[in-house]
């Protein structure tokens, strides 16, 4: 499947939010449309990326996990999963999953010389397609613990409201004991910031990108199923083990994205 420059791509819209150059006019139109309703929305993309970095660094340093399955990895930016992880353990194995043609082209070019990192074309919302993929199974040992990453992915699932929890349950059933999961999702904080969240949701879902649902904290917590949450649990990403004291107040968008890390017993 080729690249359609008239259709917005989730990965390219995120790239536009992050100030990248791998996007088209249609992607920038989606970004700008969201920013008119939610001026701080670009901060959600930054929060998401920062949480990815902090959570995988924690997993690499604290858990002994040496294999990572990053679902919906998006376009390469600074500090990708393999760079963070392999700085701690150069032999750690990282498998990226995506099915965006632009991501696949850019990612494969970037990873050509990294023997411990690969990119697989598969649908992240079809767990069996990911977990039974021959390339995935060649790089990931399913008898040993795995780190499964679903960072900023599930809010782009368009379908029945209870389906994301079922998708994740199908992943969890196949993970070895001792595996970890890191997950983030757009948040309806059910407070004075809800109107911004719902305006952003309206813009995302009715834009050419066509997706971007906001869930409540309890709904996001349910995506972890019966896994054991790592402290401080499911929380605003801005509050998940930040690198230092907070010297500036949160902006509106930082109240509207949450997530956490959990372990399979």
């Amino acid at each position: 499947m080729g690249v359609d420059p008239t259709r917005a791509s989730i990965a390219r819209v995120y790239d536009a939010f992050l100030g990248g150059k791998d996007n088209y006019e249609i992607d920038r139109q989606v970004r700008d449309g969201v920013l008119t309703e939610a001026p701080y929305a670009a901060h959600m993309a930054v929060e998401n990326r920062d949480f990815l970095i902090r959570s995988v660094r924690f997993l690499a340093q604290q858990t002994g996990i040496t294999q990572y399955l990053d679902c919906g990895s998006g376009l390469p930016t600074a500090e990708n999963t393999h760079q963070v992880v392999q700085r701690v353990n150069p032999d750690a194995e990282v498998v990226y999953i995506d099915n965006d043609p632009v991501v696949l082209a850019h990612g494969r070019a970037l990873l050509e010389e990294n023997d411990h990192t690969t990119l697989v074309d598969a649908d992240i919302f079809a767990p069996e397609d990911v977990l039974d993929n021959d390339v995935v199974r060649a790089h990931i040992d399913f008898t040993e613990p795995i780190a499964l990453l679903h960072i900023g992915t599930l809010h782009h699932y368009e379908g029945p409201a209870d389906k994301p929890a079922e998708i994740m349950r199908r992943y969890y059933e196949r993970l070895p004991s001792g595996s970890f999961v890191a997950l983030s999702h757009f948040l309806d904080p059910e407070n004075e910031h809800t109107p911004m969240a719902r305006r952003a949701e309206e813009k995302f879902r009715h834009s050419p990108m066509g997706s971007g649902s906001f869930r409540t904290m309890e709904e996001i917590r349910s995506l972890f199923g019966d896994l054991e949450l790592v402290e401080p649990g499911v929380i605003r990403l801005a509050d998940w083990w930040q690198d230092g004291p907070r010297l500036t107040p949160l902006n509106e968008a930082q109240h509207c994205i949450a997530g956490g890390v959990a372990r399979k017993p």
Side-chain angles (χ1 to χ4, degrees):
M1 184 174 62
V3 177
D4 181 356
T6 67
R7 183 174 179 180
S9 145
I10 293 168
R12 296 196 312 265
V13 170
Y14 268 106
D15 182 68
F17 271 119
L18 290 168
K21 298 177 181 177
D22 297 312
N23 51 75
Y24 295 126
E25 180 61 29
I26 189 70
D27 306 303
R28 295 187 288 276
Q29 287 174 10
V30 172
R31 175 199 63 190
D32 295 345
V34 172
L35 290 175
T36 60
E37 297 295 333
Y40 290 115
H43 288 275
M44 288 195 288
V46 174
E47 286 293 311
N48 210 43
R49 172 60 51 167
D50 286 350
F51 172 69
L52 167 71
I53 293 167
R54 295 197 309 278
S55 60
V56 298
R57 187 170 60 220
F58 158 74
L59 292 169
Q61 291 178 336
Q62 301 284 338
T63 69
I65 297 273
T66 60
Q67 40 186 7
Y68 296 76
L69 192 58
D70 186 348
C71 295
S73 51
L75 282 160
T77 63
E79 293 295 275
N80 298 287
T81 298
H82 71 283
Q83 292 162 319
V84 178
V85 167
Q86 290 169 358
R87 193 174 296 127
V88 178
N89 179 357
D91 294 325
E93 201 74 34
V94 178
V95 177
Y96 292 111
I97 308 291
D98 214 301
N99 60 359
D100 184 305
V102 174
V103 171
L104 296 170
H106 280 262
R108 283 173 177 154
L110 180 77
L111 299 173
E112 268 181 356
E113 296 182 10
N114 189 316
D115 293 338
H116 294 290
T117 307
T118 192
L119 176 59
V120 173
D121 180 359
D123 180 359
I124 62 170
F125 299 137
E128 292 76 20
D129 290 356
V130 172
L131 300 174
D132 293 330
N133 180 281
D134 289 341
V135 178
V136 171
R137 299 195 75 81
H139 288 267
I140 299 288
D141 178 359
F142 281 85
T143 67
E144 296 291 334
I146 297 163
L148 173 69
L149 312 178
H150 261 273
I151 308 293
T153 58
L154 294 165
H155 47 233
H156 292 299
Y157 177 81
E158 284 292 307
D162 59 350
K163 187 74 170 180
E166 185 215 314
I167 289 170
M168 295 311 295
R169 178 181 55 75
R170 283 154 54 198
Y171 274 110
Y172 301 155
E173 286 174 350
R174 299 279 299 275
L175 293 181
S177 176
S179 294
F180 282 80
V181 175
L183 184 157
S184 65
H185 197 293
F186 291 156
L187 170 70
D188 174 358
E190 299 183 289
N191 58 24
E192 68 272 20
H193 302 291
T194 289
M196 200 255 356
R198 293 306 177 187
R199 287 197 305 271
E201 178 180 63
E202 185 75 9
K203 275 292 182 181
F204 274 126
R205 296 189 69 198
H206 294 94
S207 74
M209 190 168 74
S211 64
S213 298
F214 286 64
R215 286 182 164 81
T216 66
M217 196 70 85
E218 193 52 46
E219 288 170 332
I220 296 172
R221 198 171 285 116
S222 73
L223 298 174
F224 286 94
D226 296 328
L227 301 186
E228 298 173 344
L229 286 162
V230 172
E231 289 295 328
V234 178
I235 196 168
R236 289 179 308 204
L237 298 188
D239 296 324
W240 198 91
W241 296 110
Q242 272 288 3
D243 291 330
R246 178 170 296 129
L247 302 181
T248 55
L250 297 182
N251 62 52
E252 197 168 26
Q254 289 174 297
H255 289 276
C256 295
I257 187 163
V261 175
R263 179 182 182 275
K264 180 175 178 178

